[in-house]
Amino acid sequence: MSLHSEIHEQPQAFRRLLSAREEIQRITDEVQRRAPSYAFLAARGASDNAARYANYLWGAYNRLPVALATPSLFTYYNQPPSLKDALVVGISQSGQSPDIVAVLEEGRRQGCPTLAITNAPGSPLARCADFVLEILAGPEKAVAATKTYTAELLAMAMFSAALAQDGTRLAELEHVPAWSAQILELDGTIRDMAQRFRYMAHCVAIGRGFNYATAFEWSLKLKELSYIVAEPYSSADFQHGPIAIVERGFPVMAVAPGGQTFDSVLELLKQLRQAYKAELVVISDQPEALELAQSPIEMPSGIPEWLSPLLAIIPAQLFCYHLTQARGLDPEMPRSIQKITETR
Amino acid sequence: MSLHSEIHEQPQAFRRLLSAREEIQRITDEVQRRAPSYAFLAARGASDNAARYANYLWGAYNRLPVALATPSLFTYYNQPPSLKDALVVGISQSGQSPDIVAVLEEGRRQGCPTLAITNAPGSPLARCADFVLEILAGPEKAVAATKTYTAELLAMAMFSAALAQDGTRLAELEHVPAWSAQILELDGTIRDMAQRFRYMAHCVAIGRGFNYATAFEWSLKLKELSYIVAEPYSSADFQHGPIAIVERGFPVMAVAPGGQTFDSVLELLKQLRQAYKAELVVISDQPEALELAQSPIEMPSGIPEWLSPLLAIIPAQLFCYHLTQARGLDPEMPRSIQKITETR
C-alpha cells in the first residue's frame, strides 16, 4: 500500500521541505548574484510536468523566461546549444537519468550556474550541480510519483518566493500543509466518484497557466496506473484543432481553480458541457465551474492561484488511485514501467 | 477537394519559398548583427508543432537555445517575462491569433528583435514584427493545415542554413521539392493501407529529435480530421510512464528516419512489436524499422536527417486524409473547428 500512503504523506512532506526555507534563500541569493537572463530546465516524466509549473511561475513572478531542454541535443546529436546567460536546472526525483545529467554537465562545462532539484542528494545529478535543492520528500516506493511531484512543485514555489523576496508569498506557503490535509479528507468521496469511469478508454485533461502542469500530471497518472489514453491540453491549444475529437459523452478531466485564467477555462467548459454534451470531472473552488460537472471535486476556498497546482493535483492522484482499483488493476505494480527510467 | 489538392501542392510551395533565399539571407544577416542569446517562440496548433522543429534544429545547427512561449503570461497574467537578449519569434499561418500577436508586441516593447513567420504578410502579426519571413504557401482553404505547416518548416530550415552560412545545407535544401514529389506517389498505397484503421479509437505517435515535431503534427491531423484520440511522444518520454498503456494490438504511429536518434527509436519499436505485440505504422527509409511494421511506409533514401521532418509528415498527411474518408467523415469539413482560431 505504498501509493495510497504516499499520497497521504504529502502534508508531512510539505512541512519538512518548508523547514528548509533558509537553505533555499541561500541558493536564490547565489543565483541572484549570477543574474541569469533565462532558465534552461531539463526533466522527464512527472518532473517534466513539474518543470511546466516553473515555466509559468518563474515567468510571472520572477520575470525569468524558461526554456524546456531537449535532452537529445546533448546526447544523440551531441550538438548542445550555447547556454550563455542561462541558469541550467535539472529536475529528477532519483537524479539518475543520464540525459538529464548530461544537460547539467554541459551547463557546467560552459560556465553556467547549475541547479539540481532532487530527492537524492547523493545522485549523479546532484553531484554535478553547483546548487542542490533537496526536496526532502522521504523515500518514495511506489512506481508512480506523487509526493515527490508535489515536493518538486513546492521547491519551485519556495525558490520563486525567495528569489523575489516576496513576504506575502513566503507567508502563503506556510498554509500549504493544512490545505493539503483538508483535501485528503475527500478520499472517500473520490473513491465513490471514480466508479463511474471503470470502463473509460480515453479522455483529455485540461488546465491552463499554472495548472497546465496539473493537466499533464493528471493525464500521466491515468496512463501509468489505469492504462487510459489521456492527453493533456491547455484550454487554448485544445481549441486549435483537437476539440474536434469531442463527441457526446466524451470524458474531460478539468482543473479550473479561481484566478487569472479561470474565465477562459470556464468558457471552454460551458461549451463542452452545453454544446458538445461532454462528460466533465472538474477540480475547482468555483461554484460556476463545479455546477457544470457531472463529477465535481470541490477544493477549499482561499488558495491563491500560484499555489493551486500543489493542491489541485491531490484529488487527481486519489481519483487515479481509486479508478485503478475499480478497474481491477494493481496501483502498486503498473505494468511495463520501473521506478527509475534511464534514457539517453 | 481542397485538402487533397493542397497536400499535392507541396512541391510547388517548396519551390516558391526556396526562391526567396536572398530575402531570408538578408533577415538572418540582421538577426546575426543583433546576436541574440536565445530564441523565444510563440505559436499555436500546427505552427506550435513547427516550432518544435526549430527547437531542435536551431539548437543543433545554430547553437541557439529555443524557449517555447507560454502566451497566457502575456495575456491573462499580464506579467510577461523579461526578454532581454532574446530573438522573439511568432509563427502563425494566418497571423491572427491575439495571444501570439501579444508576445511579439511585448518583445518589441522590450526592444528585442522580432520575427514573424507567416503566410499572411498583411496580418496583425506581420505588422508588429521587425522582420517578416513570408512562407509563400499560397491560399490554404482546407481547415487542416498541410502545405502551410511544411512551408513553415522549410522557412525555419532555410533560416537555419542561412544563419550558419552553411553551403552544404543550403545545397541540400534544393532537393526538397523533388523528394516531396516522389513521396506523393505513395498516395494510392497509403489509401489502401489506411483501411485497416477504420475502427481505431485511439493511438500514440512517436518521434524523436527533429521528428518530435512530426509526431505532434501527425497526431494533430488524426484528431482534427479523423477524431481519433492520438497522443504524441518522444521515444524517451514515452518510456517514462506512458508506455504502460500499451497492450496487445495497441496502435503506434512511428516516425523513424535514419539519423542520430534512429537507434533509440528502433530499440523502442522492437520492444513494442516483439514484447508488447503492438500494431505499428512506421514511416522510415531504414529496412530494420520498416520490417517491424505491419504497415510500413517507405521514404526515399538519401534525405538528410535535418530535412526529414519536411518530408516524413507528407505520408502521414495522406494517411490521415484517407483514413478520414474510410471512416465516412468529410476531411474538408471537420466538426467543431474553424480555419482561424483566435485565442487569448
Side-chain angles (χ1 to χ4, degrees):
Chain A
M1 289 293 286
S2 316
L3 184 62
H4 194 248
S5 60
E6 285 165 6
I7 292 172
H8 280 271
E9 280 165 31
Q10 291 177 104
Q12 281 164 261
F14 285 144
R15 269 190 291 271
R16 210 155 38 223
L17 180 50
L18 284 167
S19 72
R21 59 181 77 76
E22 283 170 22
E23 171 62 9
I24 292 176
Q25 186 69 62
R26 198 189 59 74
I27 293 173
T28 56
D29 290 348
E30 290 277 350
V31 166
Q32 188 90 53
R33 215 172 43 77
R34 305 286 292 268
S37 290
Y38 70 104
F40 190 80
L41 263 65
R44 291 276 183 209
S47 299
D48 197 33
N49 300 341
R52 284 173 211 282
Y53 174 57
N55 203 353
Y56 287 85
L57 186 69
W58 297 358
Y61 283 102
N62 307 96
R63 304 205 66 206
L64 195 62
V66 172
L68 300 180
T70 48
S72 66
L73 285 182
F74 295 77
T75 52
Y76 290 102
Y77 291 107
N78 208 12
Q79 287 168 302
S82 162
L83 297 170
K84 192 170 144 317
D85 303 321
L87 167 68
V88 180
V89 184
I91 311 166
S92 169
Q93 175 272 124
S94 71
Q96 299 285 351
S97 195
D99 44 4
I100 308 306
V101 175
V103 174
L104 245 72
E105 281 172 348
E106 179 62 28
R108 187 149 208 176
R109 200 171 301 129
Q110 295 191 27
C112 305
T114 52
L115 168 66
I117 299 179
T118 181
N119 204 28
S123 64
L125 186 72
R127 284 201 303 271
C128 74
D130 297 324
F131 313 113
V132 179
L133 204 171
E134 188 185 349
I135 62 170
L136 298 168
E140 188 175 63
K141 294 201 182 105
V143 173
T146 54
K147 63 177 182 167
T148 58
Y149 170 74
T150 51
E152 286 172 355
L153 295 188
L154 179 58
M156 290 179 206
M158 293 173 73
F159 183 92
S160 171
L163 189 62
Q165 302 195 310
D166 182 335
T168 308
R169 288 200 296 133
L170 286 166
E172 285 170 343
L173 282 163
E174 301 301 318
H175 300 288
V176 169
W179 281 320
S180 64
Q182 201 179 334
I183 289 168
L184 286 164
E185 290 170 12
L186 297 170
D187 200 351
T189 309
I190 293 173
R191 186 189 56 229
D192 297 345
M193 189 180 279
Q195 306 308 309
R196 180 174 172 98
F197 301 90
R198 167 70 176 84
Y199 291 101
M200 176 167 70
H202 49 240
C203 66
V204 295
I206 302 281
R208 199 164 180 200
F210 296 134
N211 281 293
Y212 190 39
T214 313
F216 269 78
E217 181 60 10
W218 193 351
S219 80
L220 180 58
K221 290 287 120 20
L222 283 168
K223 284 178 281 210
E224 286 181 328
L225 295 172
S226 311
Y227 314 148
I228 290 166
V229 181
E231 187 168 3
Y233 279 104
S234 90
S235 51
D237 287 326
F238 193 58
Q239 292 171 76
H240 282 263
I243 196 170
I245 59 178
V246 177
E247 57 197 358
R248 182 179 279 269
F250 189 95
V252 176
M253 313 284 127
V255 190
Q260 297 294 317
T261 58
F262 177 70
D263 288 347
S264 82
V265 177
L266 181 68
E267 198 182 328
L268 176 64
L269 293 180
K270 278 186 187 161
Q271 194 186 349
L272 288 171
R273 180 68 200 269
Q274 292 160 3
Y276 300 162
K277 314 291 180 201
E279 168 85 20
L280 303 183
V281 180
V282 174
I283 297 175
S284 181
D285 56 353
Q286 301 293 309
E288 279 174 282
L290 293 166
E291 280 161 16
L292 289 168
Q294 290 91 340
S295 303
I297 300 178
E298 189 174 351
M299 300 266 291
S301 60
I303 296 170
E305 184 183 13
W306 74 287
L307 290 175
S308 61
L310 285 66
L311 299 154
I313 190 61
I314 297 175
Q317 293 167 342
L318 291 169
F319 181 88
C320 296
Y321 173 80
H322 291 299
L323 177 55
T324 303
Q325 290 215 315
R327 286 162 75 89
L329 302 169
D330 181 356
E332 303 299 333
M333 305 258 293
R335 66 188 179 198
S336 317
I337 56 176
Q338 298 84 37
K339 182 68 188 161
I340 297 172
T341 309
E342 297 192 10
T343 47
R344 279 188 59 227
Chain B
M1 289 291 287
S2 316
L3 183 63
H4 195 248
S5 61
E6 284 166 7
I7 292 172
H8 279 271
E9 280 165 30
Q10 290 176 103
Q12 282 164 263
F14 286 144
R15 269 191 292 269
R16 212 156 36 223
L17 180 51
L18 283 167
S19 71
R21 59 181 79 74
E22 283 169 22
E23 171 62 10
I24 293 176
Q25 186 69 61
R26 197 188 60 73
I27 293 173
T28 56
D29 290 349
E30 291 277 349
V31 167
Q32 188 90 53
R33 214 171 44 75
R34 305 286 292 265
S37 291
Y38 70 103
F40 190 81
L41 263 63
R44 292 276 183 210
S47 299
D48 196 34
N49 299 340
R52 284 173 210 281
Y53 174 56
N55 202 353
Y56 287 85
L57 186 69
W58 297 358
Y61 283 103
N62 307 96
R63 304 204 67 207
L64 195 64
V66 172
L68 299 180
T70 48
S72 66
L73 285 182
F74 295 77
T75 53
Y76 290 102
Y77 291 106
N78 209 11
Q79 285 168 303
S82 160
L83 297 170
K84 190 169 145 319
D85 303 322
L87 167 68
V88 179
V89 184
I91 311 167
S92 169
Q93 176 274 124
S94 70
Q96 300 285 351
S97 196
D99 44 4
I100 308 306
V101 175
V103 174
L104 245 73
E105 280 173 348
E106 179 62 28
R108 187 151 208 174
R109 200 171 301 131
Q110 294 190 26
C112 304
T114 52
L115 168 65
I117 299 179
T118 181
N119 204 28
S123 64
L125 186 72
R127 284 200 303 269
C128 73
D130 297 324
F131 313 114
V132 179
L133 205 173
E134 187 185 348
I135 61 170
L136 297 168
E140 188 174 63
K141 294 200 182 106
V143 172
T146 53
K147 64 177 182 169
T148 58
Y149 170 74
T150 52
E152 285 172 356
L153 295 188
L154 179 58
M156 290 177 205
M158 292 173 74
F159 183 92
S160 171
L163 189 64
Q165 302 197 310
D166 181 335
T168 308
R169 288 200 298 134
L170 286 165
E172 285 170 344
L173 282 163
E174 301 300 319
H175 300 287
V176 169
W179 280 320
S180 64
Q182 201 179 336
I183 289 168
L184 286 164
E185 291 170 13
L186 296 170
D187 200 352
T189 309
I190 292 173
R191 185 189 56 230
D192 296 345
M193 190 179 278
Q195 306 308 309
R196 181 174 171 99
F197 301 90
R198 167 68 177 85
Y199 291 100
M200 176 167 71
H202 50 239
C203 66
V204 295
I206 301 282
R208 198 164 181 201
F210 296 134
N211 281 292
Y212 190 40
T214 313
F216 270 77
E217 180 60 10
W218 193 351
S219 80
L220 180 58
K221 290 288 122 17
L222 284 168
K223 284 178 280 210
E224 286 181 328
L225 295 171
S226 310
Y227 315 148
I228 289 166
V229 180
E231 187 167 3
Y233 279 104
S234 89
S235 51
D237 288 326
F238 193 58
Q239 292 171 75
H240 282 264
I243 197 169
I245 60 178
V246 178
E247 55 196 358
R248 181 179 280 266
F250 189 95
V252 176
M253 313 285 126
V255 190
Q260 297 295 315
T261 57
F262 176 71
D263 287 348
S264 82
V265 177
L266 181 67
E267 198 183 327
L268 176 64
L269 293 180
K270 279 186 186 161
Q271 193 186 349
L272 287 170
R273 180 68 200 267
Q274 291 160 3
Y276 300 161
K277 314 292 180 197
E279 168 85 20
L280 303 182
V281 179
V282 175
I283 297 175
S284 181
D285 56 353
Q286 302 293 308
E288 278 172 284
L290 293 166
E291 280 161 17
L292 290 168
Q294 290 92 337
S295 303
I297 301 178
E298 188 174 351
M299 300 266 289
S301 59
I303 297 170
E305 184 183 13
W306 73 287
L307 290 175
S308 62
L310 285 65
L311 299 154
I313 191 59
I314 297 175
Q317 293 167 342
L318 291 169
F319 181 89
C320 296
Y321 173 80
H322 291 300
L323 177 56
T324 303
Q325 291 215 313
R327 286 163 75 91
L329 302 168
D330 181 355
E332 304 298 333
M333 307 256 294
R335 68 188 178 198
S336 316
I337 56 176
Q338 298 83 38
K339 182 68 187 162
I340 298 173
T341 309
E342 298 192 9
T343 47
R344 278 189 59 227

